[in-house]
Amino acid sequence: FFLLRSSTPRRQATMSAEEAAILTHLSSRPDAAIEDTLTWSDQSKLDHKAVVGAVKSLQADAYVTASDLTKSYFDLSAEAKDILANGSQEIIVLGALCEAGEAGISMPDLQAKVGKNVCKIGMGNCMKNKWAKKDGGNLVATSSLADVTDEVQAHLKALADAGGSESAVDAKTVQALKRRKLINLVTLKSYKVGRGESYAPVRKKKAADLTKEMLDSGAWKTTEFKQYNFQTLGEKVGGGYLHPLLKVRAEFRNILLEMGFHEMPTNKWVESSFWNFDSLFQPQSHPARDAHDTFFIKEPAQTVSLPEDYYDRVKTMHEVGGSGSIGYRYDFKREETLKNLLRTHTTAVSSQMLYKLANQEGGFKPARYFSIDRVFRNETMDATHLCEFHQVEGLVADYDLSLGDLIGTIETFFKKIGIEKLRFKPAFNPYTEPSMEIFGYHPDLKQWTEIGNSGMFRPEMLAPMGLPENVRVIAWGLSLERPTMIK
């Protein structure tokens, strides 16, 4: 059966300029071919995207065959081109230091001479290469221009001379140039085109529909129609899929529930500075509380209530100390603690749960809690940092816990998620002591990657909550994204 339609007469569709050029090129001889559509398009003064579209259209009707071609090369940034012309930033800075002589030059004068950006990049690399040193308030050259080689300029020149070929420099050099954002890998896709089974010098469009006009005129007898496959089923409609991170989140959640942990309520993204920082014994002068690290809320800017008795105990702990601590010895400001913010960690929820645990009816009872939810940091986004990510946090509150309990719990959890090679490194956190960074071995990168942080909550944090003196709380936190990359 054919689909019968009534339609107004239409003019025969004509070939595009790209289709005509391709078919004409292939008509020269039976084995004619376009070796690379990218080069051929440039020679024929045709747009490559339009040529690719024409190739795919002709391929669908078997007029041509097409095989994929891929070409990669390194493109030099504007900064790289400037280095080619004038030398690298470290060479420019070294030249300025050598010109200043043994007396050296101050940082402000150096910035004025070579520019702030050149000074920032060049001075760092000069110090790294030990070409310069600090002498009092001045910077002094320890090498002369004749003693050093501008390797960055040399590597960029090798790439430029080789047309950006990936083989022009070694892999280590490529990574170094990428880190400085001097090169970018560009991949070009094109096709090799030859004659297909239905090749003809001129493309004849097949009719898709049988129309009333064809029947009336008898044109249907000579018209070539597209083939119909009436046995083909429609494409299966999917019901949607979980995001990879949500799959891993569900896996982590099930593991923690199996380990006897209870999930904390984390649906409140906005917290006060009191719960996010002060209750954790984090001083109000800590750099993490600056606007360049934390997203503060403009409206409403402050929280409306705090547990006043607990607030007073936290304030006292900060100002004069307690439980063997001398505190931070500063004036604790209420206006600072009332500020609202997007929580920087789910430990803000942990502190509230521990406070409730200490003050619940019937007194303290040992507990295990976990949470997996979003946190927010005012970070510059790169390959390892996001301004919004997911934090996995777990804690155990019980009598007389030790660092061994913490390590054992962490090893059990990571073993269940498939990361068996772990290392622990001493670290510092304002609200845990002792503290440890957690490293996992990445089998593909063949290196150790930091995947989390851990420690035992300090007495200065736990005592104001009202927890018994011999209660210890072990805790660890990690992002959901990094273990997912290792897995």
Side-chain angles (χ1 to χ4, degrees), residues 325-353:
S325 170
I326 63 172
Y328 290 116
R329 302 292 183 92
Y330 71 97
D331 292 329
F332 189 86
K333 297 179 181 179
R334 186 177 179 87
E335 62 269 20
E336 188 69 28
T337 202
L338 294 176
K339 289 181 179 179
N340 283 331
L341 49 82
L342 289 177
R343 66 183 179 210
T344 60
H345 46 198
T346 51
T347 317
V349 182
S350 300
S351 62
Q352 295 175 63
M353 296 300 295

Side-chain angles (χ1 to χ4, degrees), residues 7 44 49 132 186 203 215 233 287 291 298 302 307 373 406 425:
S7 61
S44 303
K49 288 184 179 179
V186 177
R203 184 180 190 180
L215 294 174
L233 298 176
K298 288 185 178 180
Q302 292 187 336
D373 212 332
L406 174 61
K425 176 185 174 183

Side-chain angles (χ1 to χ4, degrees), residues 171-234:
K172 186 177 180 181
T173 300
V174 166
Q175 291 303 316
L177 295 176
K178 280 185 175 181
R179 279 195 298 271
R180 291 183 65 164
K181 298 181 180 179
L182 297 176
I183 59 173
N184 180 46
L185 184 63
V186 177
T187 300
L188 298 175
K189 293 184 178 180
S190 57
Y191 298 89
K192 179 179 179 180
V193 182
R195 290 187 178 187
E197 293 180 1
S198 303
Y199 171 77
V202 178
R203 184 180 190 180
K204 185 178 180 182
K205 293 281 187 179
K206 295 180 181 179
D209 304 318
L210 176 64
T211 65
K212 178 179 181 297
E213 289 73 22
M214 290 180 184
L215 294 174
D216 290 343
S217 65
W220 63 272
K221 297 177 182 178
T222 56
T223 299
E224 190 174 356
F225 291 91
K226 288 184 178 180
Q227 292 184 346
Y228 285 85
N229 184 356
F230 295 102
Q231 305 301 319
T232 301
L233 298 176

Side-chain angles (χ1 to χ4, degrees), residues 36 61 76 87 141 168 218 247 253 289 307 360 364 384-385 408 430 435:
D36 188 335
D61 287 341
L76 273 59
K247 288 183 179 180
R253 183 175 182 273
R289 301 178 70 152
Q360 66 184 347
F364 169 79
T384 58
H385 295 85
S435 306

Side-chain angles (χ1 to χ4, degrees), residues 273-275 277-284 289 306-322 325-338 355 459-465:
S273 293
F274 176 78
W275 290 113
F277 295 123
D278 296 320
S279 65
L280 306 180
F281 196 58
Q282 191 160 331
Q284 293 184 339
R289 301 178 70 152
L306 293 173
E308 292 299 331
D309 56 339
Y310 179 40
Y311 167 81
D312 291 336
R313 294 195 295 271
V314 170
K315 180 176 183 291
T316 301
M317 186 63 76
H318 279 249
E319 291 182 337
V320 298
S325 170
I326 63 172
Y328 290 116
R329 302 292 183 92
Y330 71 97
D331 292 329
F332 189 86
K333 297 179 181 179
R334 186 177 179 87
E335 62 269 20
E336 188 69 28
T337 202
L338 294 176
Y355 173 71
E460 296 97 326
M461 172 185 166
L462 302 180
M465 294 177 176

Side-chain angles (χ1 to χ4, degrees), residues 426-479:
F428 170 77
N429 290 315
Y431 45 89
T432 58
E433 179 61 36
S435 306
M436 301 182 301
E437 292 176 344
I438 309 168
F439 290 81
Y441 186 74
H442 198 302
D444 294 329
L445 297 178
K446 292 181 171 52
Q447 66 182 28
W448 293 90
T449 303
E450 183 184 352
I451 54 176
N453 220 317
S454 65
M456 301 183 69
F457 285 147
R458 295 173 62 132
E460 296 97 326
M461 172 185 166
L462 302 180
M465 294 177 176
L467 289 165
E469 189 174 345
N470 60 336
V471 167
R472 304 286 182 267
V473 180
I474 58 175
W476 74 95
L478 58 142
S479 72

Side-chain angles (χ1 to χ4, degrees), residues 105-411:
I105 186 172
S106 67
M107 182 64 78
D109 290 343
L110 181 61
Q111 289 177 343
K113 187 175 183 65
V114 302
K116 285 188 177 181
N117 288 337
V118 171
C119 181
K120 180 180 178 182
I121 299 171
M123 196 63 232
N125 288 322
C126 277
M127 298 295 281
K128 181 180 177 182
N129 295 332
K130 298 183 179 179
W131 295 350
K133 67 177 183 179
K134 286 187 177 181
D135 186 2
N138 286 354
L139 301 164
V140 180
T142 58
S143 300
S144 68
L145 286 172
D147 296 332
V148 301
T149 302
D150 194 344
E151 293 184 353
V152 175
Q153 186 186 50
H155 292 320
L156 291 173
K157 187 175 186 306
L159 277 173
D161 292 344
S165 172
E166 295 181 74
S167 61
V169 292
D170 58 47
K172 186 177 180 181
T173 300
V174 166
Q175 291 303 316
L177 295 176
K178 280 185 175 181
R179 279 195 298 271
R180 291 183 65 164
K181 298 181 180 179
L182 297 176
I183 59 173
N184 180 46
L185 184 63
V186 177
T187 300
L188 298 175
K189 293 184 178 180
S190 57
Y191 298 89
K192 179 179 179 180
V193 182
R195 290 187 178 187
E197 293 180 1
S198 303
Y199 171 77
V202 178
R203 184 180 190 180
K204 185 178 180 182
K205 293 281 187 179
K206 295 180 181 179
D209 304 318
L210 176 64
T211 65
K212 178 179 181 297
E213 289 73 22
M214 290 180 184
L215 294 174
D216 290 343
S217 65
W220 63 272
K221 297 177 182 178
T222 56
T223 299
E224 190 174 356
F225 291 91
K226 288 184 178 180
Q227 292 184 346
Y228 285 85
N229 184 356
F230 295 102
Q231 305 301 319
T232 301
L233 298 176
E235 185 177 354
K236 186 178 180 180
V237 179
Y241 302 91
L242 282 175
H243 188 281
L245 271 180
L246 294 181
K247 288 183 179 180
V248 177
R249 176 181 176 176
E251 180 186 347
F252 284 12
R253 183 175 182 273
N254 290 335
I255 288 171
L256 288 163
L257 289 172
E258 288 174 4
M259 292 174 65
F261 286 78
H262 297 278
E263 190 167 11
M264 295 185 283
T266 55
N267 56 346
K268 189 173 69 171
W269 294 351
V270 176
E271 290 285 0
S272 66
S273 293
F274 176 78
W275 290 113
N276 197 82
F277 295 123
D278 296 320
S279 65
L280 306 180
F281 196 58
Q282 191 160 331
Q284 293 184 339
S285 60
H286 196 281
R289 301 178 70 152
D290 292 340
H292 64 265
D293 285 324
T294 301
F295 292 110
F296 287 95
I297 305 299
K298 288 185 178 180
E299 183 64 34
Q302 292 187 336
T303 188
V304 294
S305 64
L306 293 173
E308 292 299 331
D309 56 339
Y310 179 40
Y311 167 81
D312 291 336
R313 294 195 295 271
V314 170
K315 180 176 183 291
T316 301
M317 186 63 76
H318 279 249
E319 291 182 337
V320 298
S323 298
S325 170
I326 63 172
Y328 290 116
R329 302 292 183 92
Y330 71 97
D331 292 329
F332 189 86
K333 297 179 181 179
R334 186 177 179 87
E335 62 269 20
E336 188 69 28
T337 202
L338 294 176
K339 289 181 179 179
N340 283 331
L341 49 82
L342 289 177
R343 66 183 179 210
T344 60
H345 46 198
T346 51
T347 317
V349 182
S350 300
S351 62
Q352 295 175 63
M353 296 300 295
L354 288 171
Y355 173 71
K356 291 179 182 178
L357 192 64
N359 296 277
Q360 66 184 347
E361 188 175 346
F364 169 79
K365 293 179 183 178
R368 298 183 178 195
Y369 292 124
F370 83 93
S371 63
I372 308 174
D373 212 332
R374 294 183 189 181
V375 295
F376 308 86
R377 305 275 176 88
N378 194 356
E379 298 267 15
T380 300
M381 290 193 294
D382 58 29
T384 58
H385 295 85
L386 295 171
C387 60
E388 175 185 336
F389 58 95
H390 294 79
Q391 182 177 345
V392 183
E393 181 165 339
L395 66 88
V396 180
D398 206 342
Y399 296 99
D400 301 319
L401 293 173
S402 69
L403 193 64
D405 296 306
L406 174 61
I407 293 174
T409 304
I410 292 171
E411 287 179 339

